[in-house]
Amino acid sequence: MTMFGKIFSKKTPKTDIKSNGEALNTSEIEQFIKDTLSHYISDNFPHGVLAVCQQLSITQKKKITIKLLMPFVCQGELDLLAQTLSENLARTVNFEIDLAIKPVRQFSLGNDKNKAGQEGMLQGKVANIIAIASGKGGVGKSTTTVNLAYALMCEGARVGILDADIYGPSIPSMLGLKNEKPSSSDGKLMTPVDAKGLSAMSIGFLVDEADATVWRGPMASSAFNQLLNETDWPALDYLLIDMPPGTGDIQLTLAQKVPVAAAVIVTTPQDIALIDAVKGIAMFDKVKVPVLGIVENMSYHLCENCGHKSHIFGEAGGEHMAEDHETKLLGQLPLDITIRQDADFGESDIIENSAGEIANHYRKIARNVSAQLFLQCDTASPLTATVAHKA
């Protein structure tokens, strides 16, 4: 049980896989697994896995298969737990995760008239809209948005991405789709471009990249509204919106007129970037959009030869910022040439090697974003306060 001590809380049952020198029987193994799931504690499972699991079934054959219905992506984290269970049960244990991701807001994007009237409102195709923002340019926000979208997809979610940077759209290049144009099946709504399973829309698909978009704020906001609302989005668990830097018209339009579920702030450890990132948090606070946390990009450089970490732009800036503003540090990303090359060439290391080191960084952050959206914003969250009524 040595490995369990490293990843479980102090409440973890000290059950051995042997009972009186004999192997555990089927019912004892099942109870051991349930106890393990109940007492496994992490940032994304503060009350254990079973506290948020909606369905559980355990099949014991040569391999043990644990099927879970979950409200947020968690395959990668539970795969690590499966390794520990396998070692302790001396049998291969696999988790099969089905997702039941629901909107955390009372309404969502994309009305389906066939479902009108259900629960007194129109049901939407896009469950949750997440704004990926920064206070300033040059911190790798768009690259982070694209890779987070692919990481969520690799974890099993249905994902779309909207490029809200009307003046400098970079998403088409990063997706390797610079020459693509959206189609329309009815002449009214645009069909988003498919990017290796990711549904994408950008003004860059409609305007030649050599043409400058010279629009005043209201025109840019109107264009953003059209891209968002006149796109025939498929059923999506998450729509990530790559926000332009700053706190201008488009940001306010998004925050005030769109059912944004939450926001994620991208920054670097550099002091000047952190100062601007704080402004982004303040803007979302003013318009009552919860900030799930902070992603610290270019956190460190890992030497290819000796493995030494060099904190080129400063150290722990994102961590201190998260503490100061009572939010989460969702993750730290290295300064890696592979990430830059993939963005320039329109490729994705996450798709090509979903178990690689870079992919694991993004997949962990994606799991944190998905889990924190549920934990912080959903009424079904175990962290949601209950209202006591006097008798």
Side-chain angles (χ1 to χ4, degrees), residues 21-339:
E22 298 179 358
L24 296 176
N25 60 35
T26 300
S27 60
E28 289 172 329
I29 289 175
E30 183 167 323
Q31 188 59 50
F32 179 75
I33 290 172
K34 289 180 179 179
D35 289 342
T36 298
L37 294 175
S38 294
H39 294 90
Y40 173 78
I41 303 297
S42 70
D43 287 343
N44 293 342
F45 295 105
H47 296 283
V49 177
L50 293 189
V52 295
C53 173
Q54 298 175 11
Q55 289 180 17
L56 166 68
S57 67
I58 301 172
T59 303
Q60 299 186 48
K61 296 181 180 178
K62 287 185 178 180
K63 296 180 180 179
I64 299 175
T65 301
I66 306 170
K67 293 185 178 181
L68 301 175
L69 183 65
M70 302 297 289
F72 53 84
V73 302
C74 55
Q75 184 73 58
E77 181 170 356
L78 294 186
D79 283 346
L80 295 175
L81 179 58
Q83 293 177 16
T84 304
L85 281 170
S86 297
E87 292 173 6
N88 283 272
L89 293 173
R91 289 173 66 183
T92 300
V93 177
N94 291 323
F95 280 98
E96 292 184 3
I97 309 298
D98 289 324
L99 297 175
I101 297 171
K102 299 178 180 178
V104 301
R105 293 282 294 268
Q106 292 181 348
F107 53 97
S108 53
L109 180 71
N111 293 329
D112 185 347
K113 295 180 180 178
N114 295 325
K115 296 182 179 180
Q118 290 186 12
E119 301 177 351
M121 61 180 178
L122 296 176
Q123 301 298 305
K125 289 183 178 180
V126 178
N128 297 292
I129 300 174
I130 302 176
I132 312 296
S134 66
K136 70 185 295 295
V139 298
K141 171 185 51 60
S142 296
T143 303
T144 302
T145 303
V146 168
N147 286 328
L148 279 182
Y150 278 129
L152 283 166
M153 198 173 72
C154 286
E155 289 281 329
R158 301 168 299 177
V159 189
I161 186 169
L162 174 63
D163 188 354
D165 196 343
I166 302 298
Y167 300 109
S170 56
I171 295 299
S173 295
M174 292 185 178
L175 296 177
L177 300 171
K178 288 198 295 185
N179 299 317
E180 292 290 325
K181 302 292 181 184
S183 60
S184 177
S185 59
D186 60 3
K188 296 179 181 179
L189 297 178
M190 295 179 291
T191 301
V193 176
D194 179 76
K196 300 176 182 175
L198 192 69
S199 297
M201 182 53 66
S202 168
I203 193 71
F205 294 138
L206 307 174
V207 178
D208 189 281
E209 66 176 343
D211 292 338
T213 308
V214 186
W215 290 341
R216 294 188 182 276
M219 290 180 65
S221 297
S222 176
F224 165 72
N225 267 327
Q226 285 185 290
L227 289 175
L228 179 66
N229 294 300
E230 295 182 17
T231 296
D232 187 17
W233 298 105
L236 299 176
D237 297 313
Y238 303 106
L239 175 63
L240 303 189
I241 299 187
D242 180 34
M243 300 287 291
T247 54
D249 287 338
I250 291 179
Q251 289 86 344
L252 292 174
T253 296
L254 176 76
Q256 294 174 335
K257 296 183 179 181
V258 177
V260 179
V264 171
I265 304 296
V266 179
T267 185
T268 64
Q270 194 175 8
D271 288 344
I272 192 67
L274 293 168
I275 292 171
D276 289 331
V278 168
K279 296 176 183 177
I281 294 178
M283 181 198 73
F284 285 115
D285 285 343
K286 286 183 179 179
V287 293
K288 302 293 190 277
V289 172
V291 174
L292 298 179
I294 295 163
V295 175
E296 186 182 83
N297 197 24
M298 309 180 203
S299 181
Y300 57 89
H301 176 259
L302 194 64
C303 179
E304 298 175 1
N305 297 319
C306 66
H308 175 70
K309 277 187 178 181
S310 299
H311 297 275
I312 298 173
F313 298 112
E315 186 175 359
E319 183 178 350
H320 295 150
M321 179 180 168
E323 291 174 356
D324 292 343
H325 294 273
E326 298 181 346
T327 189
K328 297 277 186 179
L329 179 63
L330 298 169
Q332 296 170 305
L333 293 164
L335 181 65
D336 191 289
I337 191 171
T338 303
I339 298 174

